Structure formats: C-alpha cells, structure tokens
Amino acid sequence: MGTTARFPLVVHYCGNCSLPIEYCEYHPEHDKCKQWLEKNLPDEFEKILNVNDQLDEEGAEEKKRQKRGGKGVVKSRKKEEGPKVVNISRAPRGKKKSVTVVQGLSSFDIDLKVACKFFGTKFACGSSVTGDDEIVIQGDVKDELFDVIPEKWPAIDEDFIEDLGDQKR
C-alpha cells in the first residue's frame, strides 16, 4: 500500500473560476482560466500543458461539452460597458407613502443582497432586490442615501450618484 501522495496536500485554485486548476478545462471560460494560470502559476501551467499534450498523443478524443443545462452550467455575468452611475429616485406607493429606488450599484461590483440588507438595517425599514440592478427601499430616504452610500462604499463618490427625482411606477 505505497501511496505517492505527500501530506499536507497543496491544492491550487484558479483565480478566474475558483475551481482547482485541474478542473478549469470544464469551465465555460477555459481560455480566461489558461491566461490567469499562465500569468500567476507558470510552473503549474507547464505541467498541465504537458499532461494535455500526452493525452493528445495517445489519440484521446476531444472532450465533448454537455449541451443541456442543469446545475453544471455556469452563467457568465453581464458586464455593462456603460458609465458607472448610481441612480436614486422616489416612486409613489399608495396615497401618502413612497419608496426609494436605487439602481446601478452592481456596476461598482457591489453585492445587491448585502446592500439591501445594509439599507434595511440602516433605515429600519424593508428593502428588497427587485430587478437585475435595482433595490427598492420602503420610505423616502433619498436624501440620506447621498451621504450613506459614499460612507459605506468609498469607491462610489458623490459625483457618481444622480438624483432622478420622482418617477411613476
């Protein structure tokens, strides 16, 4: 029972897909994984290239990708190339009540669920993620958001925040 494994095992993870580097070839963005690996772990990149060359010499079939979906399919996020701007507006809800709508936080790579939870606790109200890049906060907190957002996320300057005024829902 002689094993060649030496403990503790060192597992290298890809910076692109976050999988162990042996499994990057199964990720939809395999080319980006190769670029990351070549830049950050050149020794491991050479080893993987040598293993792939040996497989090709043995006449192994080219790997077929699974066509149909399921949990194995990784959807790539849409990166918007437009300007990075956070839009804040107020929408009426009923006769005297209103909600505040915040759009554009995901263009600054902010997790909307975390931001939603932060707004709910900060303003002691309900808030929810309603769209692709939209958070609805119950109540009129539009004016406070101009101070709170740059304080919580320093990457967002007050110049990047636009007031769209009142909107119709």
Side-chain angles (χ1 to χ4, degrees):
M1 270 194 118
T3 60
T4 58
R6 301 188 73 207
F7 293 95
L9 292 177
V10 177
V11 180
H12 296 283
Y13 292 94
C14 177
N16 182 49
C17 65
S18 73
L19 293 172
I21 58 174
E22 300 88 43
Y23 297 104
C24 283
E25 61 186 294
Y26 301 110
H27 194 268
E29 297 175 344
H30 179 56
D31 296 331
K32 289 183 181 178
C33 292
K34 276 203 261 186
Q35 291 171 358
W36 182 90
L37 192 60
E38 186 175 18
K39 180 181 172 190
N40 296 302
L41 297 171
D43 296 338
E44 298 295 325
F45 180 71
E46 292 295 325
K47 287 180 190 176
I48 288 180
L49 276 183
N50 291 339
V51 169
N52 287 343
D53 291 342
Q54 289 173 356
L55 287 176
D56 290 342
E57 288 172 6
E58 294 172 6
E61 289 183 27
E62 188 175 327
K63 292 189 175 23
K64 294 180 182 176
R65 295 192 181 240
Q66 185 177 356
K67 298 276 190 215
R68 297 181 77 177
K71 288 190 177 181
V73 174
V74 178
K75 294 181 182 177
S76 58
R77 291 183 175 180
K78 295 182 280 184
K79 293 286 183 182
E80 296 179 14
E81 300 298 325
K84 290 185 170 185
V85 175
V86 176
N87 295 322
I88 299 175
S89 59
R90 190 176 66 208
R93 187 179 72 95
K95 292 184 180 180
K96 295 181 181 179
K97 298 187 179 194
S98 61
V99 293
T100 306
V101 181
V102 181
Q103 296 171 322
L105 285 177
S106 66
S107 63
F108 289 94
D109 293 331
I110 294 172
D111 187 9
L112 294 182
K113 290 182 181 178
V114 172
C116 179
K117 178 81 172 167
F118 170 74
F119 291 142
T121 55
K122 177 74 177 172
F123 301 119
C125 63
S127 66
S128 61
V129 179
T130 56
D132 216 19
D133 187 15
E134 183 178 79
I135 296 176
V136 174
I137 306 168
Q138 293 179 1
D140 182 11
V141 294
K142 186 172 68 170
D143 298 331
E144 289 94 339
L145 283 174
F146 287 99
D147 299 327
V148 170
I149 290 176
E151 182 181 310
K152 173 73 174 168
W153 297 284
I156 305 175
D157 195 45
E158 279 192 44
D159 302 335
F160 296 131
I161 302 175
E162 284 189 12
D163 184 1
L164 299 181
D166 291 354
Q167 70 179 28
K168 296 178 183 175
R169 273 210 133 202

